[in-house]
Amino acid sequence: CSVRETWKCQPNRTLDDNELWHSIKRGSVNMVFASTMSGTFAWYVSQGGETAVYYDASERGWPYLVASTVFLWLLLDFQAFYIHKVIHHKALYRHVHKWHHFYKAPNPFTCIAMHPLEFTTQGLAMCLPVILGFPIHVVSFVGILVYIYY
């Protein structure tokens, strides 16, 4: 058993070179897009833009910080699950989500190698609660996003 086989979740499935490079290209395009959008959002927030992100933990108290972190994590996980469920509908799967299922073996790029509409929808869903006014501490928000994306 090689090292490669011991850590893979599907050790007997691999991408051929063309599929691997395809996933890297498609995933990289989405990473550049996501970096641009999240960088723009981070800049907007840092400049005092209207969101519900707050910076001082004592502003709402520690019980609220913990409860809001757990709630937002559950909400975003719920959103991700149901967005994924909806895009498995025949009409959306064929034209949008099939891009993501093109790859027969997972790698770090195949998880984000998806149709731009799906990628944008997932990304906006992650930021929507704070844009719509759900107060969350900045460390909690960033931590949840890091957990979800990585």
Side-chain angles (χ1 to χ4, degrees), residues 6 13 24 37 40 66 83 91 101 119 131 138:
T6 59
R13 299 176 102 182
I24 291 171
M37 298 312 294
T40 302
V66 172
I83 288 170
H101 285 285
F119 195 76
I131 293 169
V138 66

Side-chain angles (χ1 to χ4, degrees), residues 6 38 48 53 60 62 69 84 89 100 106 111 128 130 132 140 149:
T6 59
S38 61
V53 174
R60 294 187 175 266
W62 288 99
T69 301
H84 190 236
H89 184 275
H100 177 65
C111 68
L128 201 56
V130 298
L132 294 178
S140 297
Y149 282 111

Side-chain angles (χ1 to χ4, degrees), residues 37-47 55:
M37 298 312 294
S38 61
T40 302
F41 182 69
W43 175 83
Y44 172 78
V45 171
S46 74
Q47 297 302 306
Y55 297 90

Side-chain angles (χ1 to χ4, degrees), residues 38-39 41-43 45-46 51-55 65 68-69 72-73 76 126-127 130 134-150:
S38 61
F41 182 69
W43 175 83
V45 171
S46 74
T51 68
V53 174
Y54 66 94
Y55 297 90
L65 188 145
S68 64
T69 301
L72 187 63
W73 178 77
L76 295 182
M126 299 301 158
C127 295
V130 298
F134 180 78
I136 188 79
H137 189 270
V138 66
V139 174
S140 297
F141 185 56
V142 171
I144 291 167
L145 293 180
V146 167
Y147 172 80
I148 288 171
Y149 282 111
Y150 299 102

